[in-house]
Amino acid sequence: MTGTLYLCATPIGNLQDMTPRVVETLKMVDLIAAEDTRNSVKILNYFDIHTPMTSYHEYNKVEKAQQLVGLLLEGKQVALITDAGTPAISDPGEVLVKMCHESHVPVTSLPGACACITALTLSGLSARRFCFEGFLPAEKKTRRLVLEELRRESRTMILYEAPHHLVGTLEELENCLGDRKITLCRELTKKFETILPTTLSQARERYKTEEPRGEYVLVLEGKSFQEQRREEIASWEEMTIEEHMAHYEDRGMDRKTAMKQVARDRGVGKRDIYAYLNRETEREESGGQLL
């Protein structure tokens, strides 16, 4: 019989957020794979859990995942826990889950605390549509590409950041995205939990004189549909109407449909485009002069 991989959410601060089901599962399994055994042993001691642990982290995620899948195929039951929160969210757990699926090993998730969702609900920003970015890439070229994607993003964005990088990240976000609304969340569920709804410029100025402490979750306002639409119209207006028509007709669109799409792109009526093109046709036929 193949064992099961249990993805067990652990508290992000307050230990009382550990669910009874996770406690029971961690006691029942044969092995716990933990991102940092030094941190996780505190949780296990608190709940009187004596199950053996092994390390599973960013630097051994491939080879250790292969070993864990091997144990699961032998019938061992394995639980995966992260430093805090839900495994596979911005941590190497996703590699192990993928390998389990490829080897037809059952995987189940025991829900619980998750820092990004906790911060979103506290932010006061729209939670209807959102995206999770995690930590921005360290590599400069990739980071610029990601920031450019975020500049166009209309959904609420959630990012993680360490205290010693916070000021630099706030400056980068403001330079690329403009001065947006942002809610900074730190020490979530702990005694000194802090929720700061502000703007990027105000947050940047604040942390020039106040030392950032603790891990931060940044919840950032997306670009409004109105702003997005204005930018789209401005980009199309850089073309002539003839160039705009050719853009669609060269892709196989018939003239009538192309006129409708050009009008939609430019925020005008179809009749305006039709009238303009007719005038241009008459001008060409009259040798450049309209009577």
Side-chain angles (χ1 to χ4, degrees), residues 168-181:
T169 296
L170 291 172
E171 289 177 350
E172 281 185 286
L173 288 169
E174 185 183 2
N175 289 338
C176 185
L177 281 66
D179 196 11
R180 304 271 189 94
K181 290 180 181 178

Side-chain angles (χ1 to χ4, degrees), residues 247-280:
H247 171 79
Y248 289 117
E249 289 180 316
D250 290 346
R251 287 161 175 75
M253 196 176 282
D254 65 74
R255 191 166 180 78
K256 183 177 179 181
T257 306
M259 280 194 287
K260 288 182 181 178
Q261 188 59 51
V262 168
R264 189 178 298 115
D265 290 344
R266 301 172 88 92
V268 298
K270 184 184 69 173
R271 290 182 179 181
D272 296 325
I273 302 299
Y274 179 78
Y276 171 85
L277 292 172
N278 272 354
R279 285 197 302 272
E280 291 304 302

Side-chain angles (χ1 to χ4, degrees), residues 125-142:
L125 297 174
S126 174
R128 189 178 71 84
R129 300 173 66 249
F130 62 91
C131 64
F132 174 65
E133 187 59 43
F135 289 94
L136 289 172
E139 199 274 318
K140 289 184 179 179
K141 183 178 179 180
T142 308

Side-chain angles (χ1 to χ4, degrees), residues 1-5 30-33 52-55 63-79 96 100 103 105-106:
M1 294 291 291
T2 303
T4 297
L5 176 67
D30 299 296
L31 182 67
I32 298 171
M53 264 197 303
T54 187
S55 63
E63 64 222 23
K64 181 53 75 75
Q66 291 170 342
Q67 295 173 22
L68 293 171
V69 169
L71 292 173
L72 287 157
L73 289 171
E74 292 173 5
K76 300 294 185 184
Q77 307 295 336
V78 178
L96 177 56
C100 284
S103 299
V105 171

Side-chain angles (χ1 to χ4, degrees), residues 82 84-94 114-116 132 160:
T82 183
T86 299
I89 301 296
S90 198
D91 87 354
E94 62 184 0
C114 184
C116 60
F132 174 65
Y160 289 161

